[in-house]
Amino acid sequence: MMPFPNSCPVPLILLKETDSTNRYLNDLCDKECVNELTTAVANFQNSGRGQRGNSWESEKDKNLLFSVVFYPSFIEARKQFVLSQIVSLSIKDELDVYCEHFSIKWPNDIYWKEKKICGILIVNNLTDSCISRSIAGIGININQEEFLSPAPNPVSLKQITGLDVPPLHLLSCIMKRMKRYYTLLQEGKAEWIAAQYQNALFRKQGMHRYSDEHGTFLAEIVRVEAEGKLILRDENGKERDYAFKEVQYLL
Ligand code: BTN
């Protein structure tokens, strides 16, 4: 662990290397009292975790790999999707400072045009009908220029802009935004947050190609519900609703 820079608005744990910042922060919270919004950031993960049991590739010292802890006991378990919304909005808003064409691919990937720049993995601990703890793990491709894993469409901020952005600078800007969004959530502004999320969506307009268990189809996004379901309207005007993993975007 190293001392933390004072420009960051949250308690920071800097790690040279760990297996996974999600695993690290989760175990730390199991062992001791960790302040809300504490953020563990690593220069390298030797076993980074992605969605659907995948691994997360990131070259040493190139990217931003971090996890944040929330104790959102004021959020009902069935409304947990709002955490995905504030985390993804904080990142998208900050990336917008650098250039256009960033969007949020439902439920919580960040895309630039048709390529993925950031993945988010949120693990919630539920107690009764509330969320007692939530750990949001975020991987943003910043300065990596070659991707070796079979991830289909990665891109980094450097590839997009040509700029060398220091990962910890970006982290501190994102955490300022995340803190603000979290305060809005505590103040009961979930509907406003949902509207921002809807407006930031990848493919928010127009007919696009998707596939589900019945095959491929053309559809447009109608809305994302508070519980996180994606509602599509197909070519025949029929609304179809999907939970995470039940529909694929064909790119
Ligand atoms: C995805 O598959 O899209 C989610 C990827 C999440 C990766 C981040 S990197 C920091 C944190 N620690 C992990 O092990 N995973 C998340």
Side-chain angles (χ1 to χ4, degrees):
M1 224 186 273
M2 296 184 286
F4 57 83
N6 52 18
S7 63
C8 193
V10 295
L12 205 56
I13 300 169
L14 295 172
L15 305 162
K16 281 192 175 149
E17 179 171 344
T18 183
D19 52 353
S20 149
T21 55
N22 266 30
R23 198 280 313 151
Y24 177 91
L25 195 55
N26 187 61
D27 288 5
L28 189 68
C29 293
D30 282 346
K31 269 191 278 182
E32 57 188 72
C33 198
V34 177
N35 286 332
E36 189 159 42
L37 294 177
T38 292
T39 299
V41 57
N43 292 357
F44 182 63
Q45 293 183 139
N46 54 47
S47 191
R49 301 173 185 182
Q51 292 160 10
R52 302 184 176 93
N54 290 329
S55 57
W56 182 256
E57 176 198 342
S58 178
E59 210 180 310
K60 200 170 185 174
D61 297 330
K62 296 276 176 164
N63 300 319
L64 189 49
L65 307 164
F66 65 107
S67 299
V68 188
V69 62
F70 300 92
Y71 303 110
S73 51
F74 60 96
I75 302 175
E76 290 171 66
R78 65 190 180 90
K79 299 273 176 69
Q80 56 190 272
F81 186 66
V82 74
L83 286 170
S84 288
Q85 292 177 325
I86 64 162
V87 171
S88 49
L89 279 168
S90 314
I91 297 159
K92 194 249 178 217
D93 288 357
E94 183 54 31
L95 290 173
D96 284 344
V97 168
Y98 293 88
C99 69
E100 291 181 305
H101 305 301
F102 289 105
S103 61
I104 301 170
K105 177 171 169 280
W106 175 84
N108 55 14
D109 287 336
I110 310 296
Y111 265 48
W112 177 75
K113 296 188 176 172
E114 303 265 320
K115 293 178 175 236
K116 178 164 166 172
I117 186 169
C118 167
I120 299 170
L121 180 64
I122 300 183
V123 180
N124 292 321
N125 290 7
L126 307 180
T127 310
D128 302 322
S129 56
C130 287
I131 311 173
S132 49
R133 182 167 92 201
S134 178
I135 293 188
I138 296 139
I140 310 178
N141 301 325
I142 312 277
N143 291 316
Q144 186 160 336
E145 291 185 273
E146 243 186 298
F147 293 89
L148 305 173
S149 77
N153 51 353
V155 71
S156 68
L157 193 56
K158 173 106 186 242
Q159 287 175 318
I160 298 166
T161 63
L163 296 172
D164 263 305
V165 178
L168 286 184
H169 167 73
L170 200 73
L171 175 65
S172 125
C173 298
I174 289 170
M175 290 318 297
K176 280 181 196 134
R177 293 181 188 275
M178 211 179 288
K179 212 172 161 181
R180 242 178 274 144
Y181 272 117
Y182 192 53
T183 304
L184 290 172
L185 195 53
Q186 288 167 319
E187 291 170 354
K189 309 266 176 25
E191 276 184 30
W192 182 84
I193 290 166
Q196 302 304 303
Y197 176 87
Q198 189 84 25
N199 193 43
L201 278 179
F202 176 69
R203 293 186 173 176
K204 73 174 167 177
Q205 278 164 342
M207 301 295 280
H208 298 274
R209 198 152 275 288
Y210 298 86
S211 76
D212 66 9
E213 56 176 344
H214 304 295
T216 66
F217 58 98
L218 272 174
E220 63 181 344
I221 293 179
V222 180
R223 65 183 177 278
V224 174
E225 296 194 327
E227 285 77 12
K229 279 198 161 181
L230 175 69
I231 315 296
L232 297 179
R233 187 184 298 112
D234 69 20
E235 284 174 295
N236 304 318
K238 182 175 168 252
E239 285 198 4
R240 307 176 179 214
D241 61 306
Y242 295 99
F244 181 43
K245 297 180 191 168
E246 289 178 350
V247 64
Q248 283 77 46
Y249 286 56
L250 299 181
L251 298 170

